[in-house]
Every structure is written in C-alpha cells, then in structure tokens.
Amino acid sequence: KYMADLEVKASENVVLACARIESVRKCVFTSSLVACVWWDYSLHNVPPIVDHNCWSEESICREKKLWFALGKTMSKRAAWRMAERNEVKLATICPGLLTGPEFYPRNPTSSVVYLKGAEEMYAEGLLATTDVSRVAEAHVCIYEALRNTVCGRYICFDRVIQTEEEAVELARKTGLPQQRYSGNTSSDSSVKLKLCMLLN
C-alpha cells in the first residue's frame, strides 16, 4: 500500500524533471500489464479485449490487495496528468511478466509481486509473459517513434499462458508452485489480449 503512494510521487517527479529541463520533451515510462487487466469482468456481456485503452480499477486492486497493480495504475495515471499539464510527450510500455535467461533468479521480488492474483489472470486468459530483451527493444523503438506522432500506452507480450503444460513450465522457471498460477484447473479462456506495440 505504502509503495503505491511512493510510485505516484516518483512518477510525478520524473515527469516534472523532464518538464524543467528544456532539452527533454519526451519520456518513455515502463509500466506493467497489471495496470490494464484488473476490473470486474462480470459486468461485460461479451469477453473483453484488453488493449491500450484499458486501466485496472483501483477499487478492485485495493479489494484484492494487489498493491503492485495498484501502484502501477496510480503512478501511470499521475504521470499522464503531469505530462499533459507540462506538455511533455509521454509513452508508457505495459509488459507482461518479464522472462528471459536467468531473469527470475536475479529478480525474484518483481516476479513474485507481479504474480499476486496470477490464478485469476490465468483463468481469464490474462497471464502473459514477455522476454526482457523484447521489452528493451520496444523502449528503443517507441522512443525513436516519439519524434513523430507516436505517444500513448503500448501493451507488450510474447505469449499468454493458456495450458497446464505452460503453467508447469512457468512454475519451473520461477521456482514458484504451479498452483500459484493455475490452481490446477484447466483454462478455457475466451478473453483475448490485443498487442499494441511498435515493433517492425
């Protein structure tokens, strides 16, 4: 809970710093897919499509104690408000769970906090992963594209974990129990992620 408020302040400070330096007029922020996926799915008559227009609902994040998702949601909203107020061109990248060689052992905390609520994300077809090198590439591409008309939010992921076999493999890589992801249930997901990214 405390970290969510800290993230808001940090985001505001970064954008304000950009605004105060005359030579800096554009900024690329790293956010997270969990800032897009948490809302009340029961209110939809058809399966929702998660895209760059989606924001996690803060009330849902608080109710489920998803502090990482809450922090990412609140801080990026704050960054957008500050960017508009100070005429800073902003883009945010919302990657899925970061993967890659040796990534989990070196970054266990970020993986664990991202995966709070993973069982529900898996059931809804929203447990997505992306290689850390692809996220780095996305940052470079989007930063370069900011010279033109590009700005906004971009979802970045490689795959959606949809089967028990994929959940087992993810559990093996992270060293976390498989129940943390799938709850030993099979996923029959009709929710689709829409990739909104400027690569190639």
Side-chain angles (χ1 to χ4, degrees):
K1 234 193 270 193
Y2 171 70
M3 289 304 294
D5 292 330
L6 263 184
E7 275 206 62
V8 170
K9 195 67 186 162
S11 292
E12 289 174 340
N13 287 343
V14 167
V15 176
L16 195 55
C18 291
R20 286 178 175 167
I21 299 170
E22 212 169 293
S23 59
V24 179
R25 301 312 314 156
K26 51 189 180 179
C27 177
V28 180
F29 244 114
T30 308
S31 183
S32 174
L33 185 58
V34 294
C36 308
V37 301
W38 290 105
W39 68 80
D40 189 348
Y41 301 112
S42 65
L43 300 177
H44 297 267
N45 294 324
V46 294
I49 293 178
V50 177
D51 65 13
H52 61 283
N53 293 310
C54 296
W55 287 89
S56 290
E57 292 178 14
E58 292 178 24
S59 59
I60 298 284
C61 294
R62 289 179 200 280
E63 179 189 318
K64 296 177 182 290
K65 295 183 169 49
L66 301 165
W67 307 127
F68 181 73
L70 178 65
K72 292 299 179 190
T73 304
M74 288 173 56
S75 64
K76 294 314 164 276
R77 283 191 185 279
W80 279 106
R81 283 193 302 270
M82 193 66 78
E84 286 169 12
R85 200 175 302 154
N86 293 280
E87 298 181 359
V88 173
K89 198 168 187 184
L90 181 66
T92 56
I93 298 174
C94 303
L97 175 67
L98 295 178
T99 60
E102 302 298 317
F103 186 82
Y104 298 115
R106 293 179 186 177
N107 303 275
T109 303
S110 61
S111 299
V112 169
V113 294
Y114 182 100
L115 289 167
K116 184 160 188 195
E119 186 177 335
E120 193 173 339
M121 284 192 284
Y122 174 80
E124 296 292 342
L126 298 170
L127 182 55
T129 63
T130 184
D131 190 277
V132 67
S133 61
R134 189 161 176 81
V135 177
E137 186 184 348
H139 279 74
V140 173
C141 289
I142 290 171
Y143 180 78
E144 290 174 349
L146 278 172
R147 294 181 194 144
N148 303 314
T149 57
V150 169
C151 66
R153 298 168 78 223
Y154 297 88
I155 289 177
C156 179
F157 68 97
D158 295 322
R159 70 195 265 211
V160 178
I161 305 301
Q162 295 180 315
T163 67
E164 278 297 302
E165 292 73 24
E166 290 171 327
V168 167
E169 176 63 15
L170 188 58
R172 188 188 63 74
K173 285 182 179 175
T174 60
L176 296 170
Q178 180 196 347
Q179 293 85 351
R180 181 81 181 254
Y181 308 109
S182 65
N184 286 332
T185 59
S186 61
S187 173
D188 180 23
S189 171
S190 54
V191 178
K192 296 178 178 64
L193 284 168
K194 179 179 177 183
L195 181 61
C196 299
M197 201 172 130
L198 294 178
L199 286 181
N200 300 325

